[in-house]
Amino acid sequence: MFTEDQIKALNKTFENAAPAEIIAKAFELSNEAVVTTNFRPYEAAILHAVKSVEAKVPVVWCDTGYNTPQTYKHAEQVIKDLDLNVFLYVPKQTSSHRDVVMGIPSVDDPKHALFTEQVKLEPFTRAMAEHKPKVWFTNLRQGQTAFRNSIGIFSLSKDGVLKVSPFYYWSDEKLDAYLEEHKLPNEFKYFDPTKALANRECGLHA
C-alpha cells in the first residue's frame, strides 16, 4: 500500500521524466500490473509505451458494447499491430437487450446511474477483481476533467491501486508526434454512452 507522501515524492521526482522512465519505475515498484484501454483517441500511445517496457502486460479492454464501427476497426488494428495481450470484459446484458429495456438514458435521467453501472463499472470491477493489479496504467491527462487536473502522474485509485499516467502532462500535439514517430494509428469517431460531455467523469477514476 502506498502512502500519500510516497505518491507526492514520486510525482515530484518524475514530473519531467519520459514515459518510458515512468513506466519502468512503476514496474520496479510492482510487476503485478495491467493497462486499461477503451481504444478512445490516443490510446495507441499508452499501449505502445507500456508494451515496449513489458511485452506481455495484460491489457484490460472493457467494451461497453456501444463503440462505433470505426473504434472496433481501430481496436482490431492496434491489437494486431502491437500483438497485445488483451483480456476483454463486456456487460452481462447485450446492448440490443438494454436498448429495449432502457435505451441510453440522458445524464439527468434517474436510470443513468444504473446504465453506467451495467456497461462500464461492473465489467471494470470484475476485471480488476480477476487480475488484482497493484499497478494500473492509464492514459489520463491533465486538462481532461477537473478531477484529472488534480492527480498527477502517480495517484491512488479508490481501491488503493497505484494508478500511473505516463503521458499526464502531454498535449495532443506531442501525442500526435509520438504516434507518427512510432507509426501508430489514431481514431476520433469514439462514443462513450456514459458521458454527455467530453469533460465529464464516467466513474472509473473519480
Side-chain angles (χ1 to χ4, degrees), residues 62-67 72 89-105 111-124 126 193:
C62 292
D63 173 12
T64 63
Y66 293 91
N67 281 306
Y72 283 120
Y89 292 84
V90 296
K92 291 182 174 179
Q93 185 182 54
T94 65
S95 53
S96 299
H97 185 173
R98 193 177 302 97
D99 282 345
V100 174
V101 177
M102 72 167 87
I104 300 178
K111 294 195 290 284
H112 187 267
L114 176 62
F115 177 85
T116 300
E117 173 67 30
Q118 287 182 1
V119 304
K120 187 169 276 192
L121 304 184
E122 188 281 325
F124 175 80
R126 190 169 5 114

PDB file of all heavy atoms in Angstrom, residues 62-67 72 89-105 111-124 126 193:
ATOM      1  N   CYS A  62     -12.441  -2.967 -21.451  1.00  0.00           N
ATOM      2  CA  CYS A  62     -13.852  -3.011 -21.053  1.00  0.00           C
ATOM      3  C   CYS A  62     -14.662  -2.361 -22.180  1.00  0.00           C
ATOM      4  O   CYS A  62     -14.646  -1.140 -22.336  1.00  0.00           O
ATOM      5  CB  CYS A  62     -14.073  -2.282 -19.728  1.00  0.00           C
ATOM      6  SG  CYS A  62     -13.319  -3.117 -18.326  1.00  0.00           S
ATOM      7  N   ASP A  63     -15.321  -3.192 -22.963  1.00  0.00           N
ATOM      8  CA  ASP A  63     -16.091  -2.740 -24.124  1.00  0.00           C
ATOM      9  C   ASP A  63     -17.548  -2.566 -23.703  1.00  0.00           C
ATOM     10  O   ASP A  63     -18.218  -3.533 -23.348  1.00  0.00           O
ATOM     11  CB  ASP A  63     -15.951  -3.782 -25.230  1.00  0.00           C
ATOM     12  CG  ASP A  63     -16.853  -3.507 -26.429  1.00  0.00           C
ATOM     13  OD1 ASP A  63     -17.419  -2.395 -26.506  1.00  0.00           O
ATOM     14  OD2 ASP A  63     -16.998  -4.413 -27.268  1.00  0.00           O
ATOM     15  N   THR A  64     -18.049  -1.339 -23.763  1.00  0.00           N
ATOM     16  CA  THR A  64     -19.432  -1.057 -23.356  1.00  0.00           C
ATOM     17  C   THR A  64     -20.453  -1.726 -24.263  1.00  0.00           C
ATOM     18  O   THR A  64     -21.604  -1.916 -23.884  1.00  0.00           O
ATOM     19  CB  THR A  64     -19.718   0.463 -23.369  1.00  0.00           C
ATOM     20  OG1 THR A  64     -19.576   0.935 -24.718  1.00  0.00           O
ATOM     21  CG2 THR A  64     -18.785   1.214 -22.429  1.00  0.00           C
ATOM     22  N   GLY A  65     -20.030  -2.071 -25.489  1.00  0.00           N
ATOM     23  CA  GLY A  65     -20.958  -2.607 -26.479  1.00  0.00           C
ATOM     24  C   GLY A  65     -21.559  -1.520 -27.353  1.00  0.00           C
ATOM     25  O   GLY A  65     -22.368  -1.810 -28.246  1.00  0.00           O
ATOM     26  N   TYR A  66     -21.149  -0.262 -27.119  1.00  0.00           N
ATOM     27  CA  TYR A  66     -21.715   0.870 -27.869  1.00  0.00           C
ATOM     28  C   TYR A  66     -20.658   1.601 -28.694  1.00  0.00           C
ATOM     29  O   TYR A  66     -20.869   2.735 -29.109  1.00  0.00           O
ATOM     30  CB  TYR A  66     -22.382   1.859 -26.914  1.00  0.00           C
ATOM     31  CG  TYR A  66     -23.618   1.308 -26.228  1.00  0.00           C
ATOM     32  CD1 TYR A  66     -23.521   0.654 -24.998  1.00  0.00           C
ATOM     33  CD2 TYR A  66     -24.874   1.422 -26.810  1.00  0.00           C
ATOM     34  CE1 TYR A  66     -24.645   0.134 -24.370  1.00  0.00           C
ATOM     35  CE2 TYR A  66     -26.009   0.914 -26.184  1.00  0.00           C
ATOM     36  CZ  TYR A  66     -25.885   0.271 -24.967  1.00  0.00           C
ATOM     37  OH  TYR A  66     -27.004  -0.248 -24.354  1.00  0.00           O
ATOM     38  N   ASN A  67     -19.515   0.964 -28.919  1.00  0.00           N
ATOM     39  CA  ASN A  67     -18.473   1.621 -29.710  1.00  0.00           C
ATOM     40  C   ASN A  67     -18.911   1.782 -31.169  1.00  0.00           C
ATOM     41  O   ASN A  67     -19.745   1.034 -31.664  1.00  0.00           O
ATOM     42  CB  ASN A  67     -17.171   0.814 -29.654  1.00  0.00           C
ATOM     43  CG  ASN A  67     -16.420   1.050 -28.365  1.00  0.00           C
ATOM     44  OD1 ASN A  67     -16.134   2.188 -28.005  1.00  0.00           O
ATOM     45  ND2 ASN A  67     -16.101  -0.020 -27.652  1.00  0.00           N
ATOM     46  N   TYR A  72     -14.171  -0.058 -33.333  1.00  0.00           N
ATOM     47  CA  TYR A  72     -13.921  -1.504 -33.349  1.00  0.00           C
ATOM     48  C   TYR A  72     -12.842  -1.866 -34.373  1.00  0.00           C
ATOM     49  O   TYR A  72     -11.974  -2.700 -34.106  1.00  0.00           O
ATOM     50  CB  TYR A  72     -15.222  -2.267 -33.633  1.00  0.00           C
ATOM     51  CG  TYR A  72     -16.137  -2.344 -32.432  1.00  0.00           C
ATOM     52  CD1 TYR A  72     -17.422  -1.805 -32.477  1.00  0.00           C
ATOM     53  CD2 TYR A  72     -15.721  -2.957 -31.246  1.00  0.00           C
ATOM     54  CE1 TYR A  72     -18.265  -1.870 -31.372  1.00  0.00           C
ATOM     55  CE2 TYR A  72     -16.557  -3.027 -30.140  1.00  0.00           C
ATOM     56  CZ  TYR A  72     -17.833  -2.485 -30.207  1.00  0.00           C
ATOM     57  OH  TYR A  72     -18.658  -2.540 -29.102  1.00  0.00           O
ATOM     58  N   TYR A  89     -13.587  -7.570 -21.462  1.00  0.00           N
ATOM     59  CA  TYR A  89     -14.691  -7.617 -20.495  1.00  0.00           C
ATOM     60  C   TYR A  89     -15.878  -6.856 -21.079  1.00  0.00           C
ATOM     61  O   TYR A  89     -15.722  -5.727 -21.545  1.00  0.00           O
ATOM     62  CB  TYR A  89     -14.270  -7.009 -19.152  1.00  0.00           C
ATOM     63  CG  TYR A  89     -13.242  -7.864 -18.445  1.00  0.00           C
ATOM     64  CD1 TYR A  89     -11.891  -7.735 -18.758  1.00  0.00           C
ATOM     65  CD2 TYR A  89     -13.625  -8.835 -17.526  1.00  0.00           C
ATOM     66  CE1 TYR A  89     -10.940  -8.546 -18.148  1.00  0.00           C
ATOM     67  CE2 TYR A  89     -12.679  -9.647 -16.899  1.00  0.00           C
ATOM     68  CZ  TYR A  89     -11.347  -9.502 -17.223  1.00  0.00           C
ATOM     69  OH  TYR A  89     -10.410 -10.316 -16.629  1.00  0.00           O
ATOM     70  N   VAL A  90     -17.030  -7.502 -21.065  1.00  0.00           N
ATOM     71  CA  VAL A  90     -18.241  -6.888 -21.630  1.00  0.00           C
ATOM     72  C   VAL A  90     -19.364  -6.942 -20.596  1.00  0.00           C
ATOM     73  O   VAL A  90     -19.332  -7.749 -19.670  1.00  0.00           O
ATOM     74  CB  VAL A  90     -18.685  -7.605 -22.928  1.00  0.00           C
ATOM     75  CG1 VAL A  90     -17.636  -7.457 -24.009  1.00  0.00           C
ATOM     76  CG2 VAL A  90     -18.976  -9.074 -22.665  1.00  0.00           C
ATOM     77  N   PRO A  91     -20.388  -6.085 -20.744  1.00  0.00           N
ATOM     78  CA  PRO A  91     -21.527  -6.134 -19.819  1.00  0.00           C
ATOM     79  C   PRO A  91     -22.220  -7.496 -19.866  1.00  0.00           C
ATOM     80  O   PRO A  91     -22.128  -8.234 -20.848  1.00  0.00           O
ATOM     81  CB  PRO A  91     -22.450  -5.031 -20.350  1.00  0.00           C
ATOM     82  CG  PRO A  91     -21.553  -4.112 -21.103  1.00  0.00           C
ATOM     83  CD  PRO A  91     -20.509  -4.981 -21.714  1.00  0.00           C
ATOM     84  N   LYS A  92     -22.940  -7.811 -18.802  1.00  0.00           N
ATOM     85  CA  LYS A  92     -23.624  -9.104 -18.710  1.00  0.00           C
ATOM     86  C   LYS A  92     -24.878  -9.159 -19.570  1.00  0.00           C
ATOM     87  O   LYS A  92     -25.426 -10.236 -19.806  1.00  0.00           O
ATOM     88  CB  LYS A  92     -23.952  -9.408 -17.246  1.00  0.00           C
ATOM     89  CG  LYS A  92     -22.698  -9.695 -16.433  1.00  0.00           C
ATOM     90  CD  LYS A  92     -23.007 -10.042 -14.998  1.00  0.00           C
ATOM     91  CE  LYS A  92     -21.734 -10.470 -14.270  1.00  0.00           C
ATOM     92  NZ  LYS A  92     -21.990 -10.789 -12.855  1.00  0.00           N
ATOM     93  N   GLN A  93     -25.329  -7.989 -20.026  1.00  0.00           N
ATOM     94  CA  GLN A  93     -26.507  -7.919 -20.891  1.00  0.00           C
ATOM     95  C   GLN A  93     -26.077  -7.286 -22.215  1.00  0.00           C
ATOM     96  O   GLN A  93     -25.257  -6.364 -22.222  1.00  0.00           O
ATOM     97  CB  GLN A  93     -27.574  -7.041 -20.217  1.00  0.00           C
ATOM     98  CG  GLN A  93     -28.907  -6.972 -20.924  1.00  0.00           C
ATOM     99  CD  GLN A  93     -29.849  -6.029 -20.166  1.00  0.00           C
ATOM    100  OE1 GLN A  93     -29.521  -4.880 -19.898  1.00  0.00           O
ATOM    101  NE2 GLN A  93     -31.017  -6.520 -19.816  1.00  0.00           N
ATOM    102  N   THR A  94     -26.588  -7.767 -23.337  1.00  0.00           N
ATOM    103  CA  THR A  94     -26.207  -7.189 -24.630  1.00  0.00           C
ATOM    104  C   THR A  94     -26.781  -5.776 -24.781  1.00  0.00           C
ATOM    105  O   THR A  94     -27.793  -5.427 -24.155  1.00  0.00           O
ATOM    106  CB  THR A  94     -26.723  -8.045 -25.806  1.00  0.00           C
ATOM    107  OG1 THR A  94     -28.156  -8.017 -25.798  1.00  0.00           O
ATOM    108  CG2 THR A  94     -26.219  -9.473 -25.715  1.00  0.00           C
ATOM    109  N   SER A  95     -26.152  -4.994 -25.635  1.00  0.00           N
ATOM    110  CA  SER A  95     -26.653  -3.633 -25.885  1.00  0.00           C
ATOM    111  C   SER A  95     -28.034  -3.681 -26.550  1.00  0.00           C
ATOM    112  O   SER A  95     -28.889  -2.835 -26.277  1.00  0.00           O
ATOM    113  CB  SER A  95     -25.669  -2.850 -26.746  1.00  0.00           C
ATOM    114  OG  SER A  95     -25.361  -3.552 -27.923  1.00  0.00           O
ATOM    115  N   SER A  96     -28.276  -4.695 -27.377  1.00  0.00           N
ATOM    116  CA  SER A  96     -29.590  -4.830 -28.039  1.00  0.00           C
ATOM    117  C   SER A  96     -30.699  -5.049 -27.010  1.00  0.00           C
ATOM    118  O   SER A  96     -31.782  -4.457 -27.106  1.00  0.00           O
ATOM    119  CB  SER A  96     -29.574  -6.000 -29.018  1.00  0.00           C
ATOM    120  OG  SER A  96     -28.611  -5.800 -30.014  1.00  0.00           O
ATOM    121  N   HIS A  97     -30.415  -5.884 -26.024  1.00  0.00           N
ATOM    122  CA  HIS A  97     -31.398  -6.144 -24.962  1.00  0.00           C
ATOM    123  C   HIS A  97     -31.627  -4.871 -24.142  1.00  0.00           C
ATOM    124  O   HIS A  97     -32.764  -4.478 -23.879  1.00  0.00           O
ATOM    125  CB  HIS A  97     -30.881  -7.286 -24.070  1.00  0.00           C
ATOM    126  CG  HIS A  97     -31.849  -7.733 -23.023  1.00  0.00           C
ATOM    127  ND1 HIS A  97     -31.625  -8.831 -22.221  1.00  0.00           N
ATOM    128  CD2 HIS A  97     -33.053  -7.232 -22.629  1.00  0.00           C
ATOM    129  CE1 HIS A  97     -32.636  -8.988 -21.382  1.00  0.00           C
ATOM    130  NE2 HIS A  97     -33.516  -8.028 -21.612  1.00  0.00           N
ATOM    131  N   ARG A  98     -30.526  -4.207 -23.790  1.00  0.00           N
ATOM    132  CA  ARG A  98     -30.651  -2.999 -22.960  1.00  0.00           C
ATOM    133  C   ARG A  98     -31.367  -1.883 -23.709  1.00  0.00           C
ATOM    134  O   ARG A  98     -32.092  -1.079 -23.111  1.00  0.00           O
ATOM    135  CB  ARG A  98     -29.266  -2.537 -22.496  1.00  0.00           C
ATOM    136  CG  ARG A  98     -29.323  -1.482 -21.364  1.00  0.00           C
ATOM    137  CD  ARG A  98     -27.949  -1.076 -20.865  1.00  0.00           C
ATOM    138  NE  ARG A  98     -27.208  -2.221 -20.388  1.00  0.00           N
ATOM    139  CZ  ARG A  98     -26.302  -2.887 -21.110  1.00  0.00           C
ATOM    140  NH1 ARG A  98     -26.019  -2.490 -22.343  1.00  0.00           N
ATOM    141  NH2 ARG A  98     -25.681  -3.920 -20.614  1.00  0.00           N
ATOM    142  N   ASP A  99     -31.155  -1.817 -25.022  1.00  0.00           N
ATOM    143  CA  ASP A  99     -31.836  -0.791 -25.821  1.00  0.00           C
ATOM    144  C   ASP A  99     -33.355  -0.911 -25.691  1.00  0.00           C
ATOM    145  O   ASP A  99     -34.069   0.095 -25.673  1.00  0.00           O
ATOM    146  CB  ASP A  99     -31.444  -0.918 -27.303  1.00  0.00           C
ATOM    147  CG  ASP A  99     -30.066  -0.334 -27.578  1.00  0.00           C
ATOM    148  OD1 ASP A  99     -29.554   0.403 -26.717  1.00  0.00           O
ATOM    149  OD2 ASP A  99     -29.505  -0.632 -28.652  1.00  0.00           O
ATOM    150  N   VAL A 100     -33.840  -2.142 -25.609  1.00  0.00           N
ATOM    151  CA  VAL A 100     -35.281  -2.378 -25.462  1.00  0.00           C
ATOM    152  C   VAL A 100     -35.745  -2.011 -24.052  1.00  0.00           C
ATOM    153  O   VAL A 100     -36.807  -1.407 -23.863  1.00  0.00           O
ATOM    154  CB  VAL A 100     -35.620  -3.860 -25.760  1.00  0.00           C
ATOM    155  CG1 VAL A 100     -37.085  -4.150 -25.457  1.00  0.00           C
ATOM    156  CG2 VAL A 100     -35.305  -4.192 -27.213  1.00  0.00           C
ATOM    157  N   VAL A 101     -34.926  -2.346 -23.048  1.00  0.00           N
ATOM    158  CA  VAL A 101     -35.314  -2.149 -21.648  1.00  0.00           C
ATOM    159  C   VAL A 101     -35.210  -0.688 -21.214  1.00  0.00           C
ATOM    160  O   VAL A 101     -36.111  -0.147 -20.585  1.00  0.00           O
ATOM    161  CB  VAL A 101     -34.446  -3.037 -20.717  1.00  0.00           C
ATOM    162  CG1 VAL A 101     -34.785  -2.797 -19.257  1.00  0.00           C
ATOM    163  CG2 VAL A 101     -34.639  -4.508 -21.060  1.00  0.00           C
ATOM    164  N   MET A 102     -34.078  -0.025 -21.559  1.00  0.00           N
ATOM    165  CA  MET A 102     -33.897   1.360 -21.084  1.00  0.00           C
ATOM    166  C   MET A 102     -33.275   2.306 -22.097  1.00  0.00           C
ATOM    167  O   MET A 102     -33.249   3.503 -21.879  1.00  0.00           O
ATOM    168  CB  MET A 102     -33.087   1.388 -19.775  1.00  0.00           C
ATOM    169  CG  MET A 102     -31.616   1.075 -19.909  1.00  0.00           C
ATOM    170  SD  MET A 102     -30.668   1.509 -18.405  1.00  0.00           S
ATOM    171  CE  MET A 102     -30.836   0.019 -17.441  1.00  0.00           C
ATOM    172  N   GLY A 103     -32.749   1.788 -23.200  1.00  0.00           N
ATOM    173  CA  GLY A 103     -32.076   2.671 -24.152  1.00  0.00           C
ATOM    174  C   GLY A 103     -30.800   3.233 -23.532  1.00  0.00           C
ATOM    175  O   GLY A 103     -30.218   2.630 -22.638  1.00  0.00           O
ATOM    176  N   ILE A 104     -30.370   4.398 -24.026  1.00  0.00           N
ATOM    177  CA  ILE A 104     -29.219   5.091 -23.431  1.00  0.00           C
ATOM    178  C   ILE A 104     -29.775   6.314 -22.703  1.00  0.00           C
ATOM    179  O   ILE A 104     -30.122   7.314 -23.339  1.00  0.00           O
ATOM    180  CB  ILE A 104     -28.198   5.533 -24.501  1.00  0.00           C
ATOM    181  CG1 ILE A 104     -27.661   4.314 -25.270  1.00  0.00           C
ATOM    182  CG2 ILE A 104     -27.055   6.301 -23.856  1.00  0.00           C
ATOM    183  CD1 ILE A 104     -26.683   4.650 -26.377  1.00  0.00           C
ATOM    184  N   PRO A 105     -29.921   6.224 -21.371  1.00  0.00           N
ATOM    185  CA  PRO A 105     -30.529   7.338 -20.633  1.00  0.00           C
ATOM    186  C   PRO A 105     -29.658   8.592 -20.662  1.00  0.00           C
ATOM    187  O   PRO A 105     -28.432   8.502 -20.683  1.00  0.00           O
ATOM    188  CB  PRO A 105     -30.626   6.797 -19.189  1.00  0.00           C
ATOM    189  CG  PRO A 105     -30.347   5.334 -19.287  1.00  0.00           C
ATOM    190  CD  PRO A 105     -29.497   5.135 -20.501  1.00  0.00           C
ATOM    191  N   LYS A 111     -32.233   6.708 -14.447  1.00  0.00           N
ATOM    192  CA  LYS A 111     -31.701   5.402 -14.867  1.00  0.00           C
ATOM    193  C   LYS A 111     -30.247   5.471 -15.330  1.00  0.00           C
ATOM    194  O   LYS A 111     -29.626   4.437 -15.583  1.00  0.00           O
ATOM    195  CB  LYS A 111     -32.571   4.826 -15.999  1.00  0.00           C
ATOM    196  CG  LYS A 111     -33.992   4.459 -15.595  1.00  0.00           C
ATOM    197  CD  LYS A 111     -34.660   3.574 -16.629  1.00  0.00           C
ATOM    198  CE  LYS A 111     -34.967   4.290 -17.918  1.00  0.00           C
ATOM    199  NZ  LYS A 111     -36.122   5.180 -17.886  1.00  0.00           N
ATOM    200  N   HIS A 112     -29.698   6.696 -15.453  1.00  0.00           N
ATOM    201  CA  HIS A 112     -28.335   6.829 -15.968  1.00  0.00           C
ATOM    202  C   HIS A 112     -27.301   6.140 -15.077  1.00  0.00           C
ATOM    203  O   HIS A 112     -26.351   5.521 -15.586  1.00  0.00           O
ATOM    204  CB  HIS A 112     -27.963   8.306 -16.150  1.00  0.00           C
ATOM    205  CG  HIS A 112     -26.643   8.500 -16.817  1.00  0.00           C
ATOM    206  ND1 HIS A 112     -25.469   8.649 -16.116  1.00  0.00           N
ATOM    207  CD2 HIS A 112     -26.296   8.524 -18.129  1.00  0.00           C
ATOM    208  CE1 HIS A 112     -24.467   8.773 -16.967  1.00  0.00           C
ATOM    209  NE2 HIS A 112     -24.934   8.703 -18.198  1.00  0.00           N
ATOM    210  N   ALA A 113     -27.468   6.220 -13.781  1.00  0.00           N
ATOM    211  CA  ALA A 113     -26.513   5.589 -12.850  1.00  0.00           C
ATOM    212  C   ALA A 113     -26.507   4.072 -13.033  1.00  0.00           C
ATOM    213  O   ALA A 113     -25.437   3.447 -13.054  1.00  0.00           O
ATOM    214  CB  ALA A 113     -26.855   5.949 -11.407  1.00  0.00           C
ATOM    215  N   LEU A 114     -27.689   3.486 -13.185  1.00  0.00           N
ATOM    216  CA  LEU A 114     -27.788   2.040 -13.404  1.00  0.00           C
ATOM    217  C   LEU A 114     -27.158   1.659 -14.741  1.00  0.00           C
ATOM    218  O   LEU A 114     -26.433   0.657 -14.842  1.00  0.00           O
ATOM    219  CB  LEU A 114     -29.254   1.596 -13.370  1.00  0.00           C
ATOM    220  CG  LEU A 114     -29.523   0.116 -13.690  1.00  0.00           C
ATOM    221  CD1 LEU A 114     -28.846  -0.792 -12.662  1.00  0.00           C
ATOM    222  CD2 LEU A 114     -31.025  -0.160 -13.752  1.00  0.00           C
ATOM    223  N   PHE A 115     -27.417   2.473 -15.768  1.00  0.00           N
ATOM    224  CA  PHE A 115     -26.834   2.246 -17.087  1.00  0.00           C
ATOM    225  C   PHE A 115     -25.299   2.233 -17.016  1.00  0.00           C
ATOM    226  O   PHE A 115     -24.646   1.326 -17.518  1.00  0.00           O
ATOM    227  CB  PHE A 115     -27.318   3.335 -18.057  1.00  0.00           C
ATOM    228  CG  PHE A 115     -26.723   3.250 -19.430  1.00  0.00           C
ATOM    229  CD1 PHE A 115     -27.271   2.419 -20.395  1.00  0.00           C
ATOM    230  CD2 PHE A 115     -25.606   4.003 -19.765  1.00  0.00           C
ATOM    231  CE1 PHE A 115     -26.722   2.332 -21.668  1.00  0.00           C
ATOM    232  CE2 PHE A 115     -25.049   3.927 -21.034  1.00  0.00           C
ATOM    233  CZ  PHE A 115     -25.613   3.090 -21.983  1.00  0.00           C
ATOM    234  N   THR A 116     -24.733   3.249 -16.349  1.00  0.00           N
ATOM    235  CA  THR A 116     -23.277   3.352 -16.207  1.00  0.00           C
ATOM    236  C   THR A 116     -22.720   2.160 -15.434  1.00  0.00           C
ATOM    237  O   THR A 116     -21.673   1.606 -15.790  1.00  0.00           O
ATOM    238  CB  THR A 116     -22.899   4.670 -15.498  1.00  0.00           C
ATOM    239  OG1 THR A 116     -23.391   5.761 -16.277  1.00  0.00           O
ATOM    240  CG2 THR A 116     -21.398   4.812 -15.330  1.00  0.00           C
ATOM    241  N   GLU A 117     -23.408   1.766 -14.389  1.00  0.00           N
ATOM    242  CA  GLU A 117     -23.001   0.601 -13.602  1.00  0.00           C
ATOM    243  C   GLU A 117     -22.956  -0.649 -14.487  1.00  0.00           C
ATOM    244  O   GLU A 117     -21.984  -1.415 -14.455  1.00  0.00           O
ATOM    245  CB  GLU A 117     -23.987   0.393 -12.440  1.00  0.00           C
ATOM    246  CG  GLU A 117     -23.779  -0.885 -11.637  1.00  0.00           C
ATOM    247  CD  GLU A 117     -22.483  -0.902 -10.847  1.00  0.00           C
ATOM    248  OE1 GLU A 117     -22.007   0.171 -10.434  1.00  0.00           O
ATOM    249  OE2 GLU A 117     -21.938  -2.007 -10.652  1.00  0.00           O
ATOM    250  N   GLN A 118     -23.971  -0.836 -15.308  1.00  0.00           N
ATOM    251  CA  GLN A 118     -24.069  -2.038 -16.142  1.00  0.00           C
ATOM    252  C   GLN A 118     -23.015  -2.077 -17.248  1.00  0.00           C
ATOM    253  O   GLN A 118     -22.382  -3.115 -17.468  1.00  0.00           O
ATOM    254  CB  GLN A 118     -25.467  -2.134 -16.773  1.00  0.00           C
ATOM    255  CG  GLN A 118     -26.559  -2.518 -15.806  1.00  0.00           C
ATOM    256  CD  GLN A 118     -27.914  -2.652 -16.499  1.00  0.00           C
ATOM    257  OE1 GLN A 118     -28.028  -2.481 -17.712  1.00  0.00           O
ATOM    258  NE2 GLN A 118     -28.941  -2.949 -15.726  1.00  0.00           N
ATOM    259  N   VAL A 119     -22.832  -0.962 -17.962  1.00  0.00           N
ATOM    260  CA  VAL A 119     -21.986  -1.009 -19.156  1.00  0.00           C
ATOM    261  C   VAL A 119     -20.515  -0.719 -18.877  1.00  0.00           C
ATOM    262  O   VAL A 119     -19.653  -1.087 -19.676  1.00  0.00           O
ATOM    263  CB  VAL A 119     -22.490  -0.065 -20.282  1.00  0.00           C
ATOM    264  CG1 VAL A 119     -23.927  -0.372 -20.633  1.00  0.00           C
ATOM    265  CG2 VAL A 119     -22.288   1.398 -19.941  1.00  0.00           C
ATOM    266  N   LYS A 120     -20.219  -0.090 -17.737  1.00  0.00           N
ATOM    267  CA  LYS A 120     -18.832   0.288 -17.504  1.00  0.00           C
ATOM    268  C   LYS A 120     -18.290  -0.160 -16.150  1.00  0.00           C
ATOM    269  O   LYS A 120     -17.241  -0.804 -16.076  1.00  0.00           O
ATOM    270  CB  LYS A 120     -18.682   1.811 -17.644  1.00  0.00           C
ATOM    271  CG  LYS A 120     -17.243   2.272 -17.586  1.00  0.00           C
ATOM    272  CD  LYS A 120     -17.104   3.722 -17.986  1.00  0.00           C
ATOM    273  CE  LYS A 120     -17.015   3.876 -19.488  1.00  0.00           C
ATOM    274  NZ  LYS A 120     -16.603   5.225 -19.879  1.00  0.00           N
ATOM    275  N   LEU A 121     -18.985   0.172 -15.075  1.00  0.00           N
ATOM    276  CA  LEU A 121     -18.420  -0.080 -13.745  1.00  0.00           C
ATOM    277  C   LEU A 121     -18.373  -1.560 -13.392  1.00  0.00           C
ATOM    278  O   LEU A 121     -17.366  -2.046 -12.857  1.00  0.00           O
ATOM    279  CB  LEU A 121     -19.190   0.711 -12.680  1.00  0.00           C
ATOM    280  CG  LEU A 121     -19.253   2.235 -12.910  1.00  0.00           C
ATOM    281  CD1 LEU A 121     -19.963   2.917 -11.747  1.00  0.00           C
ATOM    282  CD2 LEU A 121     -17.857   2.816 -13.095  1.00  0.00           C
ATOM    283  N   GLU A 122     -19.442  -2.303 -13.692  1.00  0.00           N
ATOM    284  CA  GLU A 122     -19.451  -3.733 -13.339  1.00  0.00           C
ATOM    285  C   GLU A 122     -18.388  -4.517 -14.116  1.00  0.00           C
ATOM    286  O   GLU A 122     -17.622  -5.277 -13.497  1.00  0.00           O
ATOM    287  CB  GLU A 122     -20.852  -4.335 -13.562  1.00  0.00           C
ATOM    288  CG  GLU A 122     -21.011  -5.766 -13.031  1.00  0.00           C
ATOM    289  CD  GLU A 122     -20.407  -6.821 -13.957  1.00  0.00           C
ATOM    290  OE1 GLU A 122     -20.455  -6.643 -15.191  1.00  0.00           O
ATOM    291  OE2 GLU A 122     -19.865  -7.823 -13.430  1.00  0.00           O
ATOM    292  N   PRO A 123     -18.278  -4.348 -15.438  1.00  0.00           N
ATOM    293  CA  PRO A 123     -17.206  -5.065 -16.148  1.00  0.00           C
ATOM    294  C   PRO A 123     -15.810  -4.683 -15.648  1.00  0.00           C
ATOM    295  O   PRO A 123     -14.933  -5.540 -15.527  1.00  0.00           O
ATOM    296  CB  PRO A 123     -17.401  -4.642 -17.609  1.00  0.00           C
ATOM    297  CG  PRO A 123     -18.845  -4.244 -17.700  1.00  0.00           C
ATOM    298  CD  PRO A 123     -19.168  -3.640 -16.375  1.00  0.00           C
ATOM    299  N   PHE A 124     -15.628  -3.389 -15.339  1.00  0.00           N
ATOM    300  CA  PHE A 124     -14.327  -2.933 -14.843  1.00  0.00           C
ATOM    301  C   PHE A 124     -14.022  -3.535 -13.472  1.00  0.00           C
ATOM    302  O   PHE A 124     -12.908  -4.021 -13.233  1.00  0.00           O
ATOM    303  CB  PHE A 124     -14.300  -1.404 -14.763  1.00  0.00           C
ATOM    304  CG  PHE A 124     -13.035  -0.867 -14.160  1.00  0.00           C
ATOM    305  CD1 PHE A 124     -11.876  -0.771 -14.925  1.00  0.00           C
ATOM    306  CD2 PHE A 124     -12.990  -0.472 -12.837  1.00  0.00           C
ATOM    307  CE1 PHE A 124     -10.694  -0.292 -14.358  1.00  0.00           C
ATOM    308  CE2 PHE A 124     -11.823   0.005 -12.276  1.00  0.00           C
ATOM    309  CZ  PHE A 124     -10.675   0.099 -13.035  1.00  0.00           C
ATOM    310  N   ARG A 126     -15.163  -6.276 -12.250  1.00  0.00           N
ATOM    311  CA  ARG A 126     -14.913  -7.708 -12.483  1.00  0.00           C
ATOM    312  C   ARG A 126     -13.484  -7.922 -12.988  1.00  0.00           C
ATOM    313  O   ARG A 126     -12.777  -8.835 -12.551  1.00  0.00           O
ATOM    314  CB  ARG A 126     -15.940  -8.224 -13.502  1.00  0.00           C
ATOM    315  CG  ARG A 126     -15.957  -9.722 -13.650  1.00  0.00           C
ATOM    316  CD  ARG A 126     -17.151 -10.242 -14.463  1.00  0.00           C
ATOM    317  NE  ARG A 126     -18.029  -9.293 -15.081  1.00  0.00           N
ATOM    318  CZ  ARG A 126     -18.164  -9.142 -16.404  1.00  0.00           C
ATOM    319  NH1 ARG A 126     -17.463  -9.887 -17.240  1.00  0.00           N
ATOM    320  NH2 ARG A 126     -19.018  -8.270 -16.899  1.00  0.00           N
ATOM    321  N   PRO A 193     -21.148   6.108 -24.166  1.00  0.00           N
ATOM    322  CA  PRO A 193     -22.565   6.319 -23.836  1.00  0.00           C
ATOM    323  C   PRO A 193     -22.810   6.793 -22.407  1.00  0.00           C
ATOM    324  O   PRO A 193     -23.903   7.220 -22.085  1.00  0.00           O
ATOM    325  CB  PRO A 193     -23.179   4.934 -24.053  1.00  0.00           C
ATOM    326  CG  PRO A 193     -22.066   3.986 -23.762  1.00  0.00           C
ATOM    327  CD  PRO A 193     -20.827   4.671 -24.282  1.00  0.00           C
TER     328      PRO A 193
END
